[in-house]
């Protein structure tokens, strides 16, 4: 299981680890690696994963145009919601 709600202990787990514990000791990329690969990364796996993630986070030119064309008075949250479908495709 990727995640499980444990109501008896009021906890959520990712791959068997309590989310509270992960939040205390892991960086975002470690948890992402855990969710994708089923185990926490070692130092070299984490470094490689972080490099790959950073190399693939560029925003498409279409999404940049959509964001730039929003009315400047539009709230930030509204901008994110409006551009969200472009992230998914």
């Amino acid at each position: 299981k990727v995640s499980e709600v444990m109501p008896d202990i009021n906890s959520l787990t990712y791959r068997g680890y309590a989310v509270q514990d992960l939040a205390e000791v892991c960086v975002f990329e470690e948890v992402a690696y855990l969710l994708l690969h089923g185990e926490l990364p070692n130092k070299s796996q984490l470094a490689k994963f972080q490099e790959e993630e950073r190399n693939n986070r560029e925003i498409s030119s279409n999404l940049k145009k959509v964001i730039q064309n929003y009315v400047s008075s539009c709230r930030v949250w509204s901008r994110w919601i409006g551009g969200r479908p472009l992230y998914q495709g």
Side-chain angles (χ1 to χ4, degrees):
K1 291 182 179 180
V2 175
S3 67
E4 185 176 10
V5 174
M6 315 252 327
D8 51 321
I9 59 171
N10 195 28
S11 184
L12 171 66
T13 62
Y14 290 155
R15 303 276 191 191
Y17 294 92
V19 171
Q20 299 90 326
D21 295 338
L22 293 171
E24 286 182 20
V25 298
C26 295
V27 296
F28 170 80
E29 292 90 348
E30 286 176 294
V31 177
Y33 187 98
L34 171 67
L35 293 173
L36 292 170
H37 299 282
E39 61 186 18
L40 288 168
N42 61 36
K43 287 183 180 188
S44 64
Q45 290 169 324
L46 178 59
K48 181 180 178 188
F49 185 75
Q50 287 173 322
E51 182 180 348
E52 290 173 359
E53 188 275 328
R54 286 184 182 115
N55 289 335
N56 290 300
R57 67 165 77 154
E58 186 174 333
I59 297 174
S60 72
S61 59
N62 287 340
L63 180 56
K64 286 179 186 177
K65 288 177 188 174
V66 168
I67 293 169
Q68 290 169 347
N69 289 328
Y70 270 104
V71 178
S72 62
S73 64
C74 182
R75 293 178 188 242
V76 174
W77 182 250
S78 299
R79 291 181 191 182
W80 185 84
I81 293 296
R84 187 168 173 223
L86 297 173
Y87 279 112
Q88 298 171 346

